[in-house]
Amino acid sequence: MRANQIPTEEITREPAAFADRVTADGRFDRTAEPGRFRLVINRACPWAHRVVIVRRLMGLEEAVSLAVTDPRQEIIEGDPHWVFTEETGSPGDRDPVLGIHALREAYLARDPGYTGGVSVPGLVDTADGHLVSNDYDRLSLDMATEWGGLTRDGAPDLYPAALRDEIESLGREIYRDLNNGVYRAGFAPDQKRYDRAVAGVFRRLDALEERLATRRYLVGDAVTIADIRLFTTLVRFDAVYHGHFKCNVRKLAEYPALWAYARDLFQTPGFGDTTHFDHIRVHYYYVHTAINPTRVVAVGPDPRLWLTAHGREELGGAPFGAGTAPGPVPEDERVPAPA
């Protein structure tokens, strides 16, 4: 569905168009090599944000370069597209490494006959300019588990083998009701389907509030992929999903445990330092003209609230388990701090 179209049916999320896997041993499709791949993202997108967090926690910034598109998509041949602009640091409106203006050019380099949608994140092979994968979940998992010697010393175990069944079981519920549920509410074509989607969103938030009242992290005693998957929705909730997508039964800030949990993660290296609230607000309110035709961008809520004390340390656990925190954010990847 185009962002400027009034929805006529319930939104569905298409499977990844390209899903080559990149691993240290190359046993699937491609081999992880330093400098070979470039990750194209937009900081507004929660699905891309997942991969950015994993990349940072695993210390893959030097191995995989980062390209950030403009939060305002450009209409090309009738469809909205992720593009590079001088406003967001791309000289001549082209990515300085890939030489492209729109991410779709990497899709077409891979398959000249491709006519499907274009989404971020997109992992691009710098050797030939071909899109390797837009499978956000597989990219996250492989960067967390399959990039071997390219990860930093002290990188955490984000996908512990003993916890994977629980991570995936919980992840399916959160995806259905919350990660994708906010979109089904925001783009609902009628009252009945909106009511059903919103009920699922808050049923899941209520369950998570209960779960997180007595434990610091979703699964186990340290940050895992489960927390990353949840965080990228929570950090956008009050800023855009509550008002823009009409998920307004309660704000995240009205859930004591969930709000403290989200602040705990935000203040953990890799989470808040990869969150760009301006890009989030501008993208959602500007691009989705079907539900915000004036393109007026909301100014709140105050992002400084994310830096207030959360008290979650009392529940025990450690964010990186036996690992260590990542180093400083590379200078050219820094986002504005809440102010």
Side-chain angles (χ1 to χ4, degrees):
M1 184 189 71
R2 296 176 183 172
N4 59 347
Q5 286 182 329
I6 297 174
T8 58
E9 57 186 29
E10 189 168 76
I11 187 172
T12 57
R13 196 161 298 281
E14 297 178 357
F18 303 99
D20 284 4
R21 292 187 62 184
V22 180
T23 59
D25 58 10
R27 69 185 185 280
F28 293 108
D29 303 295
R30 309 195 186 211
T31 302
E33 300 172 8
R36 178 176 172 182
F37 300 101
R38 189 157 175 82
L39 181 65
V40 179
I41 64 143
N42 187 268
R43 293 200 181 275
C45 175
W47 319 104
H49 196 183
R50 296 181 180 193
V51 186
V52 175
I53 293 172
V54 171
R55 170 180 172 270
R56 172 140 168 70
L57 294 182
M58 302 306 292
L60 291 169
E61 292 100 324
E62 292 187 9
V64 185
S65 62
L66 189 70
V68 181
T69 61
D70 196 296
R72 298 176 178 87
Q73 289 176 297
E74 179 180 316
I75 302 301
I76 301 175
E77 297 179 0
D79 291 317
H81 282 277
W82 301 107
V83 297
F84 297 98
T85 65
E86 290 194 356
E87 185 177 348
T88 51
S90 298
D93 292 346
R94 290 187 173 273
D95 178 68
V97 174
L98 301 174
I100 60 176
H101 172 58
L103 177 57
R104 75 167 185 159
E105 295 172 49
Y107 279 67
L108 294 174
R110 169 72 180 267
D111 178 5
Y114 181 73
T115 59
V118 173
S119 63
V120 288
L123 189 69
V124 180
D125 191 328
T126 61
D128 55 18
H130 290 188
L131 185 83
V132 174
S133 175
N134 68 328
D135 188 336
Y136 62 87
D137 198 47
R138 191 71 256 172
L139 284 170
S140 299
L141 292 174
D142 281 346
M143 283 189 180
T145 61
E146 294 284 357
W147 283 60
L150 295 182
T151 60
R152 66 180 177 87
D153 292 339
D157 185 357
L158 298 175
Y159 199 50
L163 301 178
R164 290 180 185 179
D165 286 347
E166 186 177 1
I167 288 171
E168 293 305 328
S169 175
L170 185 62
R172 285 189 292 271
E173 295 174 347
I174 293 173
Y175 173 84
R176 180 194 65 217
D177 295 337
L178 186 57
N179 299 143
N180 198 46
V182 293
Y183 285 88
R184 290 191 294 109
F187 291 104
D190 54 53
Q191 189 70 46
K192 181 178 180 180
R193 280 176 279 196
Y194 164 76
D195 290 342
R196 183 168 62 229
V198 166
V201 167
F202 286 93
R203 181 173 61 248
R204 186 55 49 198
L205 288 174
D206 291 346
L208 289 168
E209 172 72 8
E210 182 176 353
R211 182 182 183 93
L212 289 165
T214 56
R215 55 196 305 163
R216 189 172 181 185
Y217 302 108
L218 280 176
V219 181
D221 296 323
V223 167
T224 67
I225 287 286
D227 299 293
I228 296 170
R229 290 168 174 169
L230 176 57
F231 173 79
T232 60
T233 295
L234 295 184
V235 80
R236 289 160 175 78
F237 198 88
D238 286 0
V240 289
Y241 301 147
H242 178 270
H244 185 56
F245 279 179
K246 299 185 284 290
C247 294
N248 59 357
V249 176
R250 283 177 293 281
K251 294 179 180 178
L252 174 63
E254 295 176 55
Y255 284 97
L258 261 177
W259 175 222
Y261 162 82
R263 299 199 315 280
D264 185 8
L265 290 178
F266 185 88
Q267 295 168 35
T268 298
F271 290 84
D273 57 23
T274 59
T275 301
H276 198 318
F277 283 114
D278 287 346
H279 278 207
I280 290 168
R281 291 183 298 100
V282 167
H283 171 72
Y284 280 89
Y285 283 102
Y286 183 90
V287 170
H288 299 153
T289 54
I291 53 179
N292 186 38
T294 65
R295 285 181 164 169
V296 172
V297 178
V299 298
D302 186 346
R304 291 173 296 182
L305 297 174
W306 285 90
L307 300 180
T308 57
H310 52 75
R312 299 281 293 179
E313 303 93 339
E314 297 177 2
L315 294 174
F320 307 111
T324 59
V329 179
E331 185 174 353
D332 60 350
E333 295 184 13
R334 292 176 184 170
V335 300

